[in-house]
Amino acid sequence: MLRRRLNRLCGGDEERVDSRTIYVGHRPCPDTEAFIPSKFCDNRIVSSKYTVWNFLPKNLFEQFRRIANFYFLIIFLVQVIVDTPTSPVTSGLPLFFVITVTAIKQGYEDWLRHKADKEVNKYPVTVLEDGRSVKKESEKIKVGDVVEVVEDETFPCDLILLQSSREDGTCFVTTASLDGESNHKTHYTVPDIEKDLQTLTSAIECEQPQPDLYKFVGRMHIYKLEQEPVVRSLGPENLLLKGATLKNTKKIYGVSVYTGMETKMALNYQGKSQKRSAVEKSINAFLLVYLSILISKAVVCTTLKYVWQSKEGQDEPWYNQKTQKEKDTNMYLKMFTDFLSFMVLFNFIIPVSMYVTVEMQKFLGSFFITWDKDFFDPEIQEGALVNTSDLNEELGQVEYVFTDKTGTLTQNNMEFIECCIDGFQYRYRDTQSEVDGFTVTDGPVNKLQQKAGWEKEELFLRALCLCHTVQVKEAGSEVLVDQVDGIDGLLGFIASSPDEIALVKGAMKYGFTFLGLESKSMKIKNRQNDIEEYKLLHVLNFDPVRRRMSVIVQTKSGETLLFCKGADSSIFPRVRPEEVDRIRMHVERNATEGYRTLCVAYKQLSAEEYAMADTGLREARLALQDREEKLMAMYNQVEMGMSLIGATAVEDRLQEEAAETMEALQGAGMKVWVLTGDKMETAKSTCYACRLFQRGTELLELTVRTLEDEKLNRDQKLHELLQEYHNKAVKDAPPVKAGVTRSWSTANQDYGFIIDGATLSLLMNPPHDADASQYKSLFLQICQNCTAVLCCRMAPLQKAQIVKMVKNSQGSPITLSIGDGANDVSMILEAHVGIGIKGKEGRQAVRNSDYAIPKLKHLKKLLLAHGHLYYVRIAHLVQYFFYKNLCFILPQFLYQFFCGYSQQPLYDAAYLTMYNICFTSMPILAYSLLEQHISIEILLHNAALYREIANNAMLRWRPFLYWTVLGIFQGLMFFFGVRFLFSNPALQDNGQVFGNWSYGTIVFTVLVFTVTLKLALDTRHWTWINHFVIWGSLAFYVFFSFFWGGIIWPFLKQQRLYFVFANVLSSVSAWLVIIILILLSLLPEILLVVLRKPRGHHSQQLSEDSSTDTNRWLRSLLSPTRI
Amino acid sequence: MKNEGEASEQPDNTAFTQQQLPAWQPILSAGIVIPGFLIIGLAFLGIGIGLFLTSQTIQVLEMDYTGVEKDSPCFQCTIQSVQNCTCEVTFSLSALFTGPVFFYYGLSNYFQNFRKYGVSKDYYQLTGDTQYFKSPRDVCFPYSHDSKNNPIVPCGAIANSMFNDTFELYQIINGTKKKVPLDGKGISWWTDFNIKYRNPSSVNGSFASAFDGTVKPINWPKAAYELDLTDPNNNGFLNQDFLVWMRRAALPQFRKLYRRITEGDYAGGLPAGNYSLTVHYNYPVLSFDGRKKLVFSNVSWMGGKNDFLGIAYLVVGSLCVVMSVVMLIVYAKFKFSDDDDA
């Protein structure tokens, strides 16, 4: 005992006990000798990354972890330490600027997170303390506090339900924001708890926090005065989870067991890791290439320098003698410092400012998403929200879309659409003025009668009214109209599934109204407005294996009836086959239309039959062992030999334009996976409705149901099925041609894949570890060849697992997750891009997403237009930056061959510093914000265009090579063009000669103009801003050069550029060489632009074959015989 | 819980925010490009021809006087021991060398663009700031102080290595030497002479005393205030030869303007005949395998003789014309095939 106490006192962390003890209301319990308040974390939710104190060091550390920043830091330090050709300011200033801008941006983003956290943490809650209710901030809740929660409030932490305002000690909860299930769940109080919570003395022992939402094991010791303490076991039905909402219960009291980051909700979040876009990865790859170019340049120069110096008289000519110190320095040290000096001289090849520009582009560019009025939703009065601007371009690269179902694809708003009674279809029409609005729209043609028999109709509607577990909402509490509850008119219903409400409401439309359940008797109002009463004898609850439910009722006349409703597959075998055929057709048609179908059957029980059923059921319920199995057997026995009355079709209303959006996404080459916690049937019908599965799609099902096999165990069956599906979908599929990896176009037969959570966990963690990787790869291969994949019954973390698996699969495709509830948070965080829908299920998803949009339909524009444009813009930005710095530094490198490898800069320091910051930065920034190489309308209209940029098309090695070659070509042009001109430096008509700074200035002028005009050639979308910035930059360069050379600058130690620019411009030869070099450098580019197929409005039809995009002209040029 | 983004109201519906700014979408169609190329090509050809012809009219006379070969006139001056060596270079012109004639000296394998060499000067000294006479900037080291630790003015490697060969040009008419007047003015940049470089102001009326306490650069035969005693405007830091030298050449092979021939009988150029050039040979270049040259040249609107520019224009111009023709052919073919497709 003592040891345990010691353990708890000193650092429970190292030796975590596997259970925790909580004293309700912090009151000590009799059998513990001393009350030791154990330490638990507080109820604060922290999603922010920094605090005020650690911001600076942590942020700096994070930033210098980037290769580029670290590199600049090194260069800066080298410049400070070693005597180098350029001053530390030239690289220190831009670096400082980059670091500051990034820090400010990240600080701002974190501040927003802090604000959001604060909102949650400061949310007022009521805590019961010493008999009084005390208002507290949510974050102050401690483990053991008794918390009061009122209706429609969310629970501030994980609570054990102690007391409910409902008489039966239950409360209703919706966990929509946790697992996406919006139905009401019943939770129970712990029995034997005194009414007065103040005197309640009890201790709860429960497991340490774990993320599984559906598991909880605990024990509650209740001490009563002068009585033996009672021990009650606690299960998930006693635990109210943080994030869930109290419904239909005025008030509950609960004791908090897990708080803050230890709540199940918080544990289901994944650690935030910074998301890096694929573009950034490309940048890093290019960076390494340029780094090696840089190093090899420096190595080449250093080597040649020493080779050159070894020649007599070259090393130290009399006119340039070394200091004694230089002579004494160790040769290898000298080599090393020379190497560093060259590094510094050429370091501009890796552009510091690219990072600033990329950051700015991302930051400013993201405003276009926020501003877009197409994303504005008048209902919630909000537009899109951008949480991370780092991923804009990733929106143009998405290959896999993982979507949640409830609230994302569907509105979670069930509606009764039609029913079929005895083979006749009935569809409710508001417009028709028939008395009951109940019309037959079609029916078996061979029959003469128009409607099913009156009795059948009535029986069917009665069945609908009776066979459910719906409760009528008490009057008075319906002030808040909740859509999920489906309040319509006067009555509000509560049910464990929205389908049931839809059915009851459907029956209501046809004249049969369920009035409620009072002391075991169900009241319904029939078409004649008479009240009928039925005695409810038994409810045979729904369960996912049986997939049906039944009620046994007794009519007034003493008849005993069993009504059963369930999925077609579970009802058809239990009814007479001749009835099935009449209805099956309707059921199947409804199912393919995306409706959720249920079949309704009934059976009249004779007294003996009922007696048998009754005793059987009662015995099974009381059984202590194998209760479940016994009940199941009994249910199956009772639900036999029924007769089918009809079927219903309920629509889970899709989000606006859900099907169109999904179609567009698939057209754009994305694969859509639906990940849902919902039931398979429901999810499947949604997939049909969204046209993810189509009529011809062959479904490959890998679920608990298909794994049931008498002969094989689950594992073997799984293996067998995987193999079978693999053969079907992968091996038999026509071979995929190289280059056309998108399977949508290759498969003649469309496949859809369905898997459920249990099977997935079996697949991920098979009994034999060795199989795991094989299963995974089989699974992935199957999925990659399916048009759509449906994963149902997923726990939040499983969703993330799936995303992770796909993300890490071969070729590491870009994934996007979209969801609206807290149950989607983990997958939103896991995917490359996480999108939150500003839905009804709270704000968790929005807060953790990278982008939030009001509706699903906005995804189309976000990806097809914004994503595409951002990608093209940033890809061009990156390539352009590397290119322009290559042709900036190449002449400087070449100049070393003409200056005795002495690290003499070709350009003045001002030009070196300003080139990237002022002269060439604005045009590319404007371009990268405004460019629309294809107009938004065409992009939206033609989803296939999205595939043109798939697989990071513009940042692969080929385009990179093209840009690099272009940069080298131009760099050579600039340098040698001027070099030949300077073979006679007397370039003025007064015979005076030009010096080295004139040389550099001419090269630089050509450079600035060429690089800017190159961008002008690339610009397809000239707004006034582009004009202003491009011509403005050039004008600024000219103005600056005049200005810089026009004044003796008092703070400069040398006036190298004084009057150089003006002098250069006074020479006709300089003008002529500038013009011809610009033209010559751009000539290949102009030719390419001309030869490239113009992408006007008519080009959209042609864009289907993207491979021919290069141009037909060029090919016809290369192979004239083709024509 | 409250909405977070309560600030986000209806977004601005402007052309900019909706990315709907009116824009010009240039399409470089064949209809524009082919004539464009043709026009540019023809224009370039025109300029090229002009440049080439101009360049051809420019007369250049180059003479290497380093004295490497034993039979060359300045060979004896290359021997170290000879002090104040003079040698005579003769040449003859068969036709009039049209004036104004520019007289350059050229050095090769001489790296005025060494980085350390390039920074080795004290700009403040050269603006006449006597404060810096006593303590030259560190960059001048090892040319900042002499062995007795006296400050050098002007300090630094550039000044120290100033080109100090001098030339006198004579026309030989009937055996007698007639001196050709050489104009040393206007050979440096106007701004260098008038603005950038300044002499220290005289102390007590004596220009030389402004340099008190300093010593001349080690390699100089005389101090800065003695560079041109005949003309106070050409003395000190404002000596034109000094200014020309201080403007560093871009490449290791360079020429610098030495004098202009603009006066007297020779204003119209050097008439045909024999000439003799007296070289006061002081500047050593053989230690680093350098060469010294004399260049007489006249200039045109494009400067000195430079064939590169003319040829470049001709090449690019004809390239453009050829390309426009090729494009025209391809375009015609493409158009036909396009019609076939349609």
Side-chain angles (χ1 to χ4, degrees), chain B residues 132-147:
Chain B
Y132 291 87
F133 281 25
K134 303 284 180 291
S135 54
R137 281 180 57 209
D138 293 340
V139 286
C140 287
F141 198 74
Y143 300 100
S144 55
H145 295 86
D146 68 357
S147 50

Side-chain angles (χ1 to χ4, degrees), chain A residues 181-195:
Chain A
E181 289 184 37
S182 57
N183 52 26
H184 287 191
K185 294 195 180 91
T186 319
H187 285 243
Y188 302 93
T189 51
V190 187
D192 297 322
I193 286 184
E194 293 167 61
K195 282 286 156 213

Side-chain angles (χ1 to χ4, degrees), chain A residues 550-608:
Chain A
S550 309
V551 289
I552 301 175
V553 293
Q554 194 177 37
T555 60
K556 271 229 170 120
S557 53
E559 279 176 290
T560 314
L561 294 170
L562 176 135
F563 292 108
C564 178
K565 69 168 199 264
D568 47 7
S569 55
S570 69
I571 297 279
F572 286 169
R574 305 181 168 269
V575 297
R576 283 188 286 278
E578 68 269 17
E579 292 165 340
V580 170
D581 298 331
R582 276 184 274 157
I583 285 175
R584 173 174 278 147
M585 175 188 108
H586 289 282
V587 172
E588 281 174 358
R589 198 203 45 207
N590 282 337
T592 47
E593 274 169 19
Y595 300 136
R596 297 148 75 108
T597 55
L598 285 177
C599 292
V600 182
Y602 94 109
K603 163 175 163 186
Q604 196 158 4
L605 295 169
S606 63
E608 303 90 70

Side-chain angles (χ1 to χ4, degrees), chain A residues 8 894 900 1048:
Chain A
R8 209 176 290 166
L894 295 171
I1048 298 272

Side-chain angles (χ1 to χ4, degrees), chain A residues 423-650:
Chain A
F424 297 93
Q425 191 189 17
Y426 291 76
R427 186 180 274 265
Y428 181 74
R429 291 230 178 105
D430 287 321
T431 46
Q432 265 175 333
S433 55
E434 279 189 47
V435 186
D436 52 12
F438 199 40
T439 58
V440 180
T441 52
D442 74 342
V445 208
N446 55 347
K447 291 206 178 180
L448 289 166
Q449 62 199 104
Q450 285 289 300
K451 285 189 178 185
W454 178 260
E455 304 86 53
K456 288 262 179 158
E457 263 184 49
E458 297 249 293
L459 183 65
F460 177 76
L461 293 173
R462 280 200 186 96
L464 287 190
C465 271
L466 294 172
C467 183
H468 55 70
T469 54
V470 174
Q471 287 168 302
V472 175
K473 191 166 174 151
E474 291 102 358
S477 61
E478 56 198 281
V479 190
L480 273 167
V481 179
D482 193 319
Q483 291 230 344
V484 179
D485 289 340
I487 288 174
D488 200 72
L490 286 165
L491 289 169
F493 298 112
I494 314 156
S496 59
S497 128
D499 304 63
E500 293 207 306
I501 296 173
L503 290 178
V504 171
K505 277 163 70 188
M508 205 161 89
K509 282 187 206 159
Y510 302 139
F512 277 77
T513 314
F514 174 63
L515 292 175
L517 175 71
E518 260 170 52
S519 56
K520 292 267 171 191
S521 91
M522 292 173 111
K523 275 192 204 161
I524 55 175
K525 196 164 73 179
N526 65 13
R527 287 195 191 168
Q528 287 79 38
N529 276 342
D530 294 333
I531 307 260
E532 295 175 16
E533 258 186 63
Y534 295 86
K535 199 173 165 207
L536 181 63
L537 299 172
H538 281 286
V539 177
L540 284 63
N541 276 321
F542 178 87
D543 69 70
V545 181
R546 242 167 82 242
R547 301 199 306 154
R548 60 181 182 269
M549 72 150 307
S550 309
V551 289
I552 301 175
V553 293
Q554 194 177 37
T555 60
K556 271 229 170 120
S557 53
E559 279 176 290
T560 314
L561 294 170
L562 176 135
F563 292 108
C564 178
K565 69 168 199 264
D568 47 7
S569 55
S570 69
I571 297 279
F572 286 169
R574 305 181 168 269
V575 297
R576 283 188 286 278
E578 68 269 17
E579 292 165 340
V580 170
D581 298 331
R582 276 184 274 157
I583 285 175
R584 173 174 278 147
M585 175 188 108
H586 289 282
V587 172
E588 281 174 358
R589 198 203 45 207
N590 282 337
T592 47
E593 274 169 19
Y595 300 136
R596 297 148 75 108
T597 55
L598 285 177
C599 292
V600 182
Y602 94 109
K603 163 175 163 186
Q604 196 158 4
L605 295 169
S606 63
E608 303 90 70
E609 275 177 312
Y610 174 66
M612 252 177 66
D614 186 45
T615 44
L617 287 169
R618 273 174 211 281
E619 268 172 27
R621 284 218 176 97
L622 292 175
L624 288 173
Q625 272 160 5
D626 303 329
R627 189 192 291 164
E628 294 285 305
E629 284 78 8
K630 282 181 182 160
L631 265 177
M632 203 65 66
M634 200 57 223
Y635 286 166
N636 282 339
Q637 196 189 322
V638 176
E639 293 162 338
M640 277 304 264
M642 300 180 287
S643 52
L644 191 62
I645 338 173
T648 57
V650 168

